[in-house]
Amino acid sequence: MPAFTTTRRVEFADTDMAGIVHFANFFRYMEQAEHEFLRSVGLSVAMDQPDGSVIGWPRVSCSCSFDEPARFEDVLEIRVSVSRIGGKSVTYEIEFFRAGTRIASGRAKAACCRFGHGQPMASIEIPGDVRERLERGNE
């Protein structure tokens, strides 16, 4: 069972001259669904820390394969599941459905990083409480 499901209606601005969703927009949909998933488990893509730094999740890889086109006014069901939680990264599997038929699938891997004032971004171990929330959201 997927960890999180959301829906999105395809807007006209998301389509190309043929009325089909431009491939790049699937990556936006994936990111929006990931953010909704994180909020559903009490997390955020940017989490302020007591020391003034921020823990965030930049992408280290992302892919999407397409089986059928999506078109203007289609309502897409987007399913997000956590397929792997590593020491410093999380990998999501994302599936797109229209009227029960899978039309696309993707994968995104994000690194857990600390952003400090005046310091370069650095990957860090996923904090225990964050790991627990990610694991709980995948049940």
Side-chain angles (χ1 to χ4, degrees):
M1 185 57 97
F4 181 79
T5 301
T6 188
T7 59
R8 179 181 177 94
R9 183 176 301 273
V10 174
E11 298 177 18
F12 184 74
D14 296 338
T15 63
D16 60 19
M17 291 294 293
I20 297 171
V21 173
H22 189 272
F23 77 92
N25 288 316
F26 279 89
F27 292 97
R28 284 187 27 241
Y29 300 164
M30 289 167 59
E31 185 174 49
Q32 291 167 348
E34 175 200 359
H35 292 190
E36 287 184 37
F37 164 71
L38 289 171
R39 284 191 296 273
S40 80
V41 296
L43 299 173
S44 174
V45 72
M47 299 176 291
D48 293 329
Q49 300 301 295
D51 66 358
S53 66
V54 175
I55 293 177
W57 301 93
R59 298 294 159 277
V60 294
S61 67
C62 196
S63 65
C64 193
S65 298
F66 311 97
D67 302 319
E68 294 184 20
R71 300 179 189 283
F72 173 58
E73 294 285 4
D74 282 351
V75 175
L76 304 179
E77 179 182 295
I78 306 167
R79 298 178 187 172
V80 178
S81 59
V82 176
S83 62
R84 182 179 182 280
I85 303 173
K88 296 182 176 185
S89 66
V90 60
T91 303
Y92 301 100
E93 300 290 335
I94 301 101
E95 295 182 292
F96 297 86
F97 292 83
R98 181 187 55 236
T101 299
R102 191 177 91 165
I103 64 167
S105 61
R107 174 179 276 208
K109 182 176 181 180
C112 186
C113 291
R114 182 177 304 276
F115 301 84
H117 299 291
Q119 298 178 347
M121 172 179 64
S123 65
I124 62 169
E125 291 287 325
I126 297 173
D129 60 324
V130 173
R131 178 180 296 281
E132 288 174 16
R133 288 173 187 259
L134 290 169
E135 290 170 347
R136 193 171 40 235
N138 206 36
E139 295 174 348

